[in-house]
Amino acid sequence: MTQVKYKVDAHVATITLNDGENRFNPDFINAFLGVLDEIENATDATTLVVTSSHEKIFSNGIDLKWLVPVIQKNDLALAKDFFYLLNRMFKRIATYPLVTVAGISGHAFAGGAIMSCAFDFRFMRSDRGYFCFPEVDLGIPFLPGMNELLKKAMPMHMVAYMIYTGARLTADQCVDHHIVHRACPIDTLMTETMEFAMAVNKRRSVVAEMKKRLNHAIVHAIDIQDVPYIESGQFNIG
């Protein structure tokens, strides 16, 4: 099974995350990054849509079944490499030279919700799925770069509410709080997402420069502020 696949229709490239719950481990992230590189370098697409093939999950975030044993074995080098790779994915999406749209087709939990914040726009399935950061209950503080990604996608008072309570929001609640652009039943989610994407066709060079300026705080946090936390090897997971 191909973990990440894509197609191009006119100027829109559509990536489908195709690895079950689309949990983040090195194989999945590298596959995703490879497809992002291919779309940028081998196509003329100017808008990117990302969705999931799972019937009820967009992404459940970090693959703890992979990561927890790594940490328990005290393989800090591998754990550090993973968090740098995770940050590379977040940064890549936030600075990608195409307008990006997440078609959130189900649950977006933890790292999956953080990843969705890296996109420029979010459409979310209204009849199933929650948007949630459960890290407060798991005892996992966010890295500074993750916090900046959240602030990119939602008002600061909602960032505080979501990370301190671990609340689960429906798509309609996400619309009310300006986290997602539109809530749609699953039958129309991709139609409405694609209609929006097709209506946006902007020059890559302009989009890339705008993102460089607009998302500077995210890049700085990932490149500078996250490093001492990762290098400390203090991973409060499991």
Side-chain angles (χ1 to χ4, degrees):
M1 178 180 70
T2 303
Q3 290 177 297
V4 182
K5 56 187 180 180
Y6 81 96
K7 64 180 180 179
V8 178
D9 182 9
H11 65 274
V12 178
T14 302
I15 291 177
T16 301
L17 307 179
N18 194 42
D19 193 33
E21 295 183 0
N22 299 314
R23 291 183 176 270
F24 305 152
N25 55 51
D27 287 345
F28 177 85
I29 295 175
N30 280 315
F32 190 18
L33 289 171
V35 169
L36 289 174
D37 288 345
E38 184 170 340
I39 290 170
E40 180 179 359
N41 297 323
T43 80
D44 294 322
T46 58
T47 306
L48 175 72
V49 171
V50 177
T51 191
S52 167
S53 64
H54 195 284
E55 67 273 12
K56 61 181 180 180
I57 295 170
F58 178 67
S59 172
N60 269 340
I62 292 174
D63 184 352
L64 295 179
K65 290 184 179 179
W66 177 86
L67 182 59
V68 169
V70 170
I71 294 173
Q72 290 174 339
K73 289 186 293 186
N74 203 35
D75 191 344
L76 294 184
L78 184 56
K80 290 178 185 180
D81 285 346
F82 169 76
F83 280 100
Y84 284 122
L85 181 64
L86 181 66
N87 268 355
R88 182 181 161 202
M89 178 181 71
F90 290 153
K91 178 180 171 181
R92 182 74 164 119
I93 298 169
T95 60
Y96 202 60
L98 284 68
V99 173
T100 59
V101 187
I104 304 172
S105 50
H107 298 303
F109 269 57
I114 296 171
M115 178 180 71
S116 72
C117 290
F119 288 82
D120 302 317
F121 300 96
R122 283 155 295 281
F123 285 64
M124 186 173 176
R125 176 179 181 175
S126 59
D127 53 313
R128 168 177 274 181
Y130 291 104
F131 190 91
C132 177
F133 306 108
E135 283 79 2
V136 66
D137 296 315
L138 301 174
I140 306 174
F142 286 163
L143 292 170
M146 296 175 178
N147 289 328
E148 291 298 329
L149 283 166
L150 268 57
K151 288 190 284 185
K152 172 185 181 298
M154 62 182 74
M156 186 59 200
H157 73 278
M158 285 305 297
V159 173
Y161 174 71
M162 294 289 287
I163 66 173
Y164 293 144
T165 68
R168 298 183 178 190
L169 298 188
T170 65
D172 288 331
Q173 289 173 318
C174 286
V175 170
D176 290 341
H177 294 291
H178 307 288
I179 299 169
V180 305
H181 184 70
R182 190 175 302 165
C184 319
I186 189 60
D187 291 344
T188 64
L189 173 66
M190 290 311 297
T191 300
E192 295 192 44
T193 302
M194 289 300 295
E195 285 178 353
F196 178 85
M198 285 290 182
V200 180
N201 185 7
K202 307 301 180 183
R203 284 179 291 162
R204 287 186 182 187
S205 59
V206 176
V207 170
E209 184 61 26
M210 286 182 167
K211 290 188 182 185
K212 178 181 177 180
R213 302 180 189 188
L214 187 63
N215 296 332
H216 172 76
I218 296 170
V219 173
H220 181 268
I222 287 175
D223 288 349
I224 305 299
Q225 295 175 272
D226 284 1
V227 173
Y229 290 100
I230 295 174
E231 287 299 318
S232 73
Q234 301 299 310
F235 303 116
N236 301 318
I237 297 175

